[in-house]
């Protein structure tokens, strides 16, 4: 596929048959979905082209039309800049008839899109950003936080280490919304579990050198180094730690890991890493079957984000079909009535605050000897039920949530 240097491209997905007169409530005689993702930066491997392909697969599998109307797919590169991402969402919603935006694999961008979704009564389904702020201070009645968040990722991983008696921690976090929120959540979990934070360091996004930050972690003497960063920043943190001889002396606990990261890191360096994930392609027959179809197109297995894009687009289309409209609030209300069990989600449902609650999995990276081949990377060592994995609704600061 070409054209990724451009901000926008359009893919029309039609059934190839004459469409019947449309159902009432479908605007512009079509349902238009936008994938807003990182197409060229460090989050592009876990989103980007793979997210577009996952959305396309969902539309094709749905039949190419909903409520008698064609489905159109557009995409844009947010370049990991909130102003660019916000401007693109505004243009899509104000001038181009987009009904739902998905992916947004950057927390600052997702927050900006949520604000616009609330103002314009449009659907936003965030599959790629992790900050819990998206269902707290940046919540919106027409926004859904679909895949995972800082709370669910830290809850499982931090708890696992504390149970092993590892009480002294150092946090290395990326210096923007996701990292700051995640560092705070890790700190809370560690202290609640009787542990101590011996230090915290924030590094720039897409840092070129982690040496000084990891020297601080090494000198702290902490038993555990928590990595509140993602993708290439996480990979480079671990590679630098290995060069410094830290991996055998301190336990590294990354918070947000995609299978693409482990593929790039390699099992020799990655073996033994323990973290939480919302998805693993080899979880069951349904997830394996879909992942192999995706692999045939993309020549790699899907990330957690890409699998959830497929699920989110499918679920959205089901909600539009049931509601008979693509208007934001009715579709959002319909989503909150649905159960979501598919290639991505196990025991899923959308909560009042927009949090899609589903089971999470604690996984450990296999050793080279344990792996049966490429992409056979994880051992699932625990399943955390959704109502235990995510921040309870009683702790929500979302402005419209009714406290129970």
């Amino acid at each position: 596929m070409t054209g990724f240097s451009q901000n926008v491209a359009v893919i029309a997905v039609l059934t190839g048959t004459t469409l019947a007169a449309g159902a009432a409530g479908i605007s512009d005689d079509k349902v238009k979905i936008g994938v807003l993702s990182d197409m060229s930066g460090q989050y592009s491997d876990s989103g980007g082209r793979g997210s577009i392909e996952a959305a396309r697969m969902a539309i094709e599998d749905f039949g190419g039309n909903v409520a008698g109307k064609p489905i159109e797919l557009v995409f844009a590169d947010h370049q990991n800049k909130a102003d660019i991402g916000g401007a693109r969402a505004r243009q899509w919603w104000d001038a181009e008839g987009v009904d739902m935006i998905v992916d947004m694999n950057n927390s600052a961008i997702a927050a900006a899109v949520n604000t616009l979704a609330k103002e314009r009564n449009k659907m936003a389904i965030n599959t790629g950003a992790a900050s819990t702020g998206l269902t707290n201070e940046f919540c919106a009645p027409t926004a859904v936080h679909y895949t995972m968040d800082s709370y669910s990722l830290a809850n499982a991983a931090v708890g696992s280490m504390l149970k092993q008696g590892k009480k002294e921690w150092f946090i290395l976090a990326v210096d923007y919304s996701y990292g700051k929120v995640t560092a705070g959540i890790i700190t809370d979990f560690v202290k609640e579990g009787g542990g101590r934070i011996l230090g915290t360091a924030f590094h720039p996004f897409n840092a070129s050198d982690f040496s000084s930050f990891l020297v601080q972690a090494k000198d702290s003497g902490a038993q555990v180094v928590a990595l509140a960063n993602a993708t290439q920043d996480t990979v480079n943190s671990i590679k630098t730690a290995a060069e410094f001889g830290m991996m055998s002396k301190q336990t590294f606990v990354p918070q947000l890991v995609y299978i693409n990261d482990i593929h790039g890191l390699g099992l020799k360096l990655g073996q033994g890493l323990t973290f939480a994930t919302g998805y693993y392609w080899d979880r069951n027959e349904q997830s394996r079957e879909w992942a192999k179809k995706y692999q045939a197109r993309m020549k790699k297995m899907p990330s957690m984000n890409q699998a959830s894009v497929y699920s989110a687009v499918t679920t959205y289309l089901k909600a539009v079909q049931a509601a008979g409209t693509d208007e934001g609030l009715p579709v959002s209300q319909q989503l909150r009535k649905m159960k979501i069990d598919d290639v991505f989600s196990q025991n899923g449902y959308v909560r009042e605050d927009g949090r899609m609650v589903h089971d999470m999995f604690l996984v450990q990276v296999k050793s080279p000897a344990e792996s049966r081949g490429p992409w056979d990377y994880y051992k699932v060592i625990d399943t955390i039920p959704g109502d235990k994995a995510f921040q309870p609704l009683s702790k929500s600061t979302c402005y419209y949530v009714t406290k129970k």
Side-chain angles (χ1 to χ4, degrees):
M1 180 174 295
T2 60
F4 281 86
S5 61
Q6 299 174 352
N7 285 339
V8 170
V10 178
I11 307 163
V13 185
L14 303 176
T15 63
T17 60
T18 301
L19 298 174
I26 302 298
S27 60
D28 304 320
D29 286 327
K30 61 188 172 186
V31 173
K32 197 169 182 178
I33 296 169
V35 176
L36 184 60
S37 190
D38 177 1
M39 302 296 177
S40 55
Q42 69 161 291
Y43 294 160
S44 59
D45 198 28
S46 58
R49 291 181 61 186
S51 289
I52 296 166
E53 195 62 37
R56 183 189 288 110
M57 290 173 70
I59 293 168
E60 290 174 359
D61 289 347
F62 203 81
N65 70 87
V66 58
K69 296 295 184 179
I71 305 163
E72 188 174 296
L73 181 66
V74 300
F75 60 84
D77 185 354
H78 59 51
Q79 301 177 44
N80 286 304
K81 297 178 180 178
D83 57 342
I84 290 175
R88 174 48 54 195
R90 189 178 297 109
Q91 176 71 15
W92 272 351
W93 280 334
D94 291 353
E96 298 182 20
V98 169
D99 298 297
M100 187 272 281
I101 297 176
V102 69
D103 195 339
M104 296 166 282
N105 52 349
N106 179 300
S107 292
I109 292 163
V113 173
N114 275 17
T115 300
L116 291 167
K118 178 172 62 176
E119 294 171 355
R120 286 156 172 76
N121 187 26
K122 296 288 188 176
M123 281 296 307
I125 304 182
N126 160 46
T127 59
S131 173
T132 54
L134 299 173
T135 49
N136 286 297
E137 63 266 32
F138 295 108
C139 71
T142 55
V144 176
H145 198 172
Y146 205 85
T147 309
M148 43 66 198
D149 58 26
S150 303
Y151 186 100
S152 61
L153 295 171
N155 187 9
V158 174
S160 174
M161 293 298 110
L162 290 172
K163 287 176 183 177
Q164 296 177 33
K166 296 179 179 180
K167 303 287 189 179
E168 296 181 334
W169 291 63
F170 185 95
I171 301 171
L172 177 58
V174 63
D175 192 11
Y176 81 100
S177 175
Y178 158 69
K180 292 175 181 178
V181 170
T182 301
I185 289 171
I186 293 169
T187 298
D188 290 344
F189 275 125
V190 169
K191 290 181 177 179
E192 288 170 9
R196 292 192 302 148
I197 303 296
L198 302 186
T200 301
F202 290 94
H203 68 79
F205 174 69
N206 199 18
S208 58
D209 185 358
F210 286 87
S211 300
S212 63
F213 306 108
L214 286 165
V215 166
Q216 294 178 54
K218 185 176 183 179
D219 290 347
S220 74
Q223 296 168 293
V224 180
V225 179
L227 300 176
N229 49 22
T231 62
Q232 200 58 45
D233 283 336
T234 298
V235 170
N236 288 338
S237 298
I238 293 170
K239 285 182 176 179
T240 304
E243 292 172 3
F244 287 1
M246 297 171 65
M247 298 294 288
S248 61
K249 298 176 182 178
Q250 294 170 292
T251 300
F252 278 70
V253 181
Q255 296 299 294
L256 177 53
V257 179
Y258 296 107
I259 197 167
N260 320 70
D261 305 327
I262 301 302
H263 189 72
L265 185 63
L267 295 183
K268 185 176 179 180
L269 281 181
Q271 62 184 313
L273 289 172
T274 301
F275 49 86
T277 183
Y279 170 81
Y280 181 42
W281 72 268
D282 203 17
R283 175 172 63 87
N284 60 27
E285 188 55 41
Q286 187 180 18
S287 62
R288 281 190 290 272
E289 181 181 357
W290 181 79
K292 288 176 182 177
K293 290 179 182 178
Y294 176 94
Q295 184 185 32
R297 296 183 180 216
M298 296 300 297
K299 311 307 177 187
K300 60 183 178 180
M301 284 299 178
S303 72
M304 168 171 50
N305 179 26
Q306 290 153 351
S308 67
V309 167
Y310 176 88
S311 173
V313 171
T314 301
T315 302
Y316 169 75
L317 292 173
K318 288 179 179 178
V320 170
Q321 185 83 45
T325 180
D326 55 10
E327 185 181 348
L329 194 56
V331 173
S332 179
Q333 290 169 341
Q334 179 63 38
L335 278 168
R336 285 159 170 77
K337 301 175 184 177
M338 298 166 62
K339 296 296 182 183
I340 307 170
D341 287 285
D342 58 19
V343 301
F344 167 77
S345 173
Q346 182 170 292
N347 301 313
Y349 63 94
V350 179
R351 208 167 58 182
E352 181 184 351
D353 59 347
R355 173 69 258 166
M356 203 279 267
V357 176
H358 56 85
D359 293 353
M360 295 285 291
F361 307 99
L362 186 67
V363 300
Q364 188 174 73
V365 177
K366 293 181 176 182
S367 69
E370 291 173 311
S371 174
R372 295 167 296 176
W375 304 104
D376 178 32
Y377 295 157
Y378 295 170
K379 294 181 287 188
V380 179
I381 57 180
D382 196 13
T383 298
I384 303 96
D387 60 353
K388 303 294 183 185
F390 292 93
Q391 174 184 280
L393 193 60
S394 60
K395 292 185 177 181
S396 175
T397 59
C398 177
Y399 72 97
Y400 63 81
V401 166
T402 303
K403 299 293 183 179
K404 302 294 191 286

